Amino acid sequence: MTRYDRQIAVPGVGPKGQARLSAARVLVVGAGGLGSAVIPALAAAGVGYLTIVDTDTVALSNLHRQTLFREAEIGQPKAPLAASRAAEMNPDCRTLGLTLRLDPANAPALIAEADLVIDAADSFAVTYTLSDLCKASGKPLISASVLGRSGYAGAFCGGAPSVRSVFPDLPAQAASCATAGVLGPAVAALGAVQAQMALTLLIGLSPSPLGRLVTLDMERWHFGGFDFRNAEEVPGFGFLAAMQIEPGDLLIDLRPPGSVATLPGAVSLSPEALAQWPIPPGRVVLCCSSGLRAWRGASALAARGATRLALLADGQ
């Protein structure tokens, strides 16, 4: 009897499927609520290598859904704690916790070492950055988002359409768990869906979840979803890291003056001012904290004929 016997007994898994899990390398971006469901599930299943990336620390207001952590750990970085907890759950799982903010500069190297990427970060900029890079490299991306009592999980890239094919634009307003609230079981349920999608792909079970989105509405008690395998790719604005700004770029900071520290060399403008702002000949990089205001600004400039546009989510 081994710890994986009941898993190996599932039709289609067997010893070969378990061996695939043991050899698999998974990048998990985000060790919050979704990560608290995904990380233990993958570790317990015998995934061989987990790299966990998160820039945040444990906070009291998040513990109702971030069940990997304890009150005694408040203020400590989440990524190494999550990695340590996963290794304790299963010594077969080798883990690495990286306390860093994932961005377009450091993401390519991390993705290159992974067989599959899980987006559990709750960030517009991270989701679209991972999607663009996974699409270019052919790596599967399992992404999810939850607010209140509802959300979704989907399997993108890796031969399927990217996030942009399903979500070509950002919402009109940026809601977050801090502003809109969230119930822990809804997060855990969709984190479990992410883990199941990941295991299905790593083992090679059929049917594949690639090109499939699962929705959950715990207010109306409804599971749904749809197939997007034939969805068309939609061009959009790409994100940059601050270190990728080039000498000829014009950096526009769209945040209210004094709300955060303006980036060096940036011109401070309000989003409304872009309607009359003369478009320069070089590349324009629009900056805000989450990426939403920058996306809206880029959309306004594109409607006026601007073609060289990029976004920067500063995260302050």
Side-chain angles (χ1 to χ4, degrees), residues 142-157:
I142 311 298
S143 183
S145 179
V146 192
L147 280 177
R149 289 181 278 172
S150 63
Y152 72 85
F156 305 90
C157 307

Side-chain angles (χ1 to χ4, degrees), residues 38-292:
V38 169
I39 292 165
L42 297 185
V47 170
Y49 304 86
L50 285 180
T51 298
I52 302 164
V53 175
D54 197 302
T55 189
D56 288 337
T57 57
V58 179
L60 180 63
S61 60
N62 292 329
L63 292 181
H64 74 288
R65 70 187 188 282
Q66 297 182 6
T67 53
L68 274 176
F69 312 114
R70 309 290 178 261
E71 276 200 42
E73 296 164 339
I74 289 173
Q76 296 183 38
K78 292 193 295 188
L81 285 172
S84 176
R85 205 130 287 155
E88 290 171 1
M89 292 177 185
N90 187 356
D92 293 342
C93 182
R94 283 145 286 186
T95 64
L96 175 64
L98 300 175
T99 304
L100 58 82
R101 185 182 302 279
L102 185 130
D103 63 31
N106 57 38
L110 293 167
I111 292 172
E113 295 181 356
D115 300 308
L116 180 145
V117 180
I118 293 182
D119 168 26
D122 189 27
S123 162
F124 299 131
V126 168
T127 295
Y128 284 86
T129 294
L130 290 175
S131 178
D132 290 347
L133 293 172
C134 285
K135 183 67 177 176
S137 63
K139 301 290 180 73
L141 171 67
I142 311 298
S143 183
S145 179
V146 192
L147 280 177
R149 289 181 278 172
S150 63
Y152 72 85
F156 305 90
C157 307
S162 72
V163 171
R164 292 182 186 274
S165 72
V166 181
F167 303 105
D169 201 2
L170 296 188
Q173 293 183 337
S176 68
C177 293
T179 60
V182 66
L183 287 181
V187 182
L190 284 164
V193 173
Q194 282 187 288
Q196 186 69 22
M197 286 179 166
L199 293 176
T200 299
L201 288 171
L202 294 172
I203 294 169
L205 296 173
S206 295
S208 169
L210 286 173
R212 182 76 187 177
L213 191 112
V214 173
T215 59
L216 170 64
D217 183 344
M218 284 193 169
E219 182 177 354
R220 297 172 180 82
W221 302 109
H222 177 71
F223 264 102
F226 56 86
D227 189 301
F228 62 90
R229 283 175 294 178
N230 295 321
E232 294 185 4
E233 291 294 337
V234 178
F237 311 113
F239 284 89
L240 298 177
M243 66 181 297
Q244 294 174 318
I245 297 173
E246 299 175 354
D249 292 339
L250 180 57
L251 179 59
I252 304 297
D253 198 323
L254 296 172
R255 295 169 292 190
S259 61
V260 296
T262 302
L263 290 170
V267 176
S268 182
L269 284 178
S270 69
E272 294 75 20
L274 293 175
Q276 303 297 327
W277 184 66
I279 299 171
R283 184 171 69 170
V284 178
V285 179
L286 297 112
C287 171
C288 68
S289 295
S290 70
L292 180 59

